[in-house]
Amino acid sequence: MIPLMKKSVLSWFMLIAILVTLQMMDGVEAIDIIPKVVVEITNAVESSQLSFHCKDKTRDNGFHTLAPNATYSFGFKIDTFFQSTLWFCLFTWQNQKEDSHYTDIYVKTRDDCKNYNWIIGQSGPCKLLNEDDKNENCYPWNDKEQHEFQGRKILLIANITTQQEPPLSCS
């Protein structure tokens, strides 16, 4: 009886390990245990292509370029256990006065919805919670020195941001 029980317990542990591993993989949906966030970025920079690079401490979404008024979307799984998911982006466009601009595109301690639409303009990023939302939540660009300091610190503590806003409701 004991060997049969050990096999049963071992089988359950293996099944749980497989499901958890599948949940951690991008693009694989096993059971919706770990929530996924979808972020849309829309280029609102006048008459200029928007180049951007988004990443978190372990994943890199790569470099992308958007034509004026075009939209790009990507998704990722959030860290539900440690509440430390942080995605940030670097934005550049032609004829800008400064080299580049940074913003925190998703901060787990600030954001609690599953879908975000960011409108990127020259004055800064603005967030819409859904298509029906007419009120934009606009933010200033992150300070470059603070962003570089945070980039080193994010490897240790991923939920620190340059500005802490209260969570926004999804309704």
Side-chain angles (χ1 to χ4, degrees), residues 5-159:
M5 194 157 129
K6 286 183 182 178
K7 287 182 182 179
S8 175
V9 170
L10 181 60
S11 297
W12 277 107
F13 279 125
M14 288 176 57
L15 179 64
I16 291 170
I18 289 169
L19 287 175
V20 168
T21 302
L22 288 174
Q23 284 295 310
M24 295 304 198
M25 295 172 59
D26 285 336
V28 176
E29 299 289 335
I31 299 174
D32 195 18
I33 297 172
I34 300 174
K36 183 176 181 178
V37 173
V38 176
V39 173
E40 289 186 350
I41 297 173
T42 301
N43 179 4
V45 177
E46 295 178 19
S47 304
S48 183
Q49 287 189 337
L50 176 69
S51 297
F52 61 96
H53 182 203
C54 298
K55 61 182 182 175
D56 75 352
K57 65 181 178 181
T58 58
R59 295 166 292 190
D60 190 331
N61 195 38
F63 291 90
H64 302 278
T65 302
L66 282 176
N69 300 316
T71 300
Y72 171 80
S73 68
F74 68 98
F76 53 88
K77 304 248 182 206
I78 60 173
D79 181 358
T80 56
F81 301 111
F82 298 110
Q83 304 290 314
S84 62
T85 304
L86 170 64
W87 276 81
F88 54 93
C89 299
L90 163 76
F91 295 95
T92 59
W93 58 87
Q94 296 173 344
N95 302 325
Q96 64 184 12
K97 294 178 184 176
E98 298 179 27
D99 295 341
S100 55
H101 300 282
Y102 299 91
T103 193
D104 297 332
I105 210 84
Y106 180 85
V107 181
K108 177 62 179 140
T109 56
R110 177 190 71 192
D111 304 320
D112 62 354
C113 301
K114 293 184 180 176
N115 297 307
Y116 292 96
N117 185 5
W118 284 90
I119 310 298
I120 306 300
Q122 291 177 338
S123 60
C126 295
K127 178 172 48 174
L128 299 175
L129 295 179
N130 56 49
E131 292 179 12
D132 300 330
D133 191 0
K134 301 297 181 207
N135 298 323
E136 294 179 342
N137 300 302
C138 296
Y139 302 93
W141 294 112
N142 288 8
D143 179 74
K144 287 183 184 179
E145 290 179 16
Q146 179 67 23
H147 180 79
E148 289 173 7
F149 172 72
Q150 274 188 272
R152 292 186 291 272
K153 206 171 173 185
I154 283 169
L155 295 174
L156 300 174
I157 305 169
N159 63 353

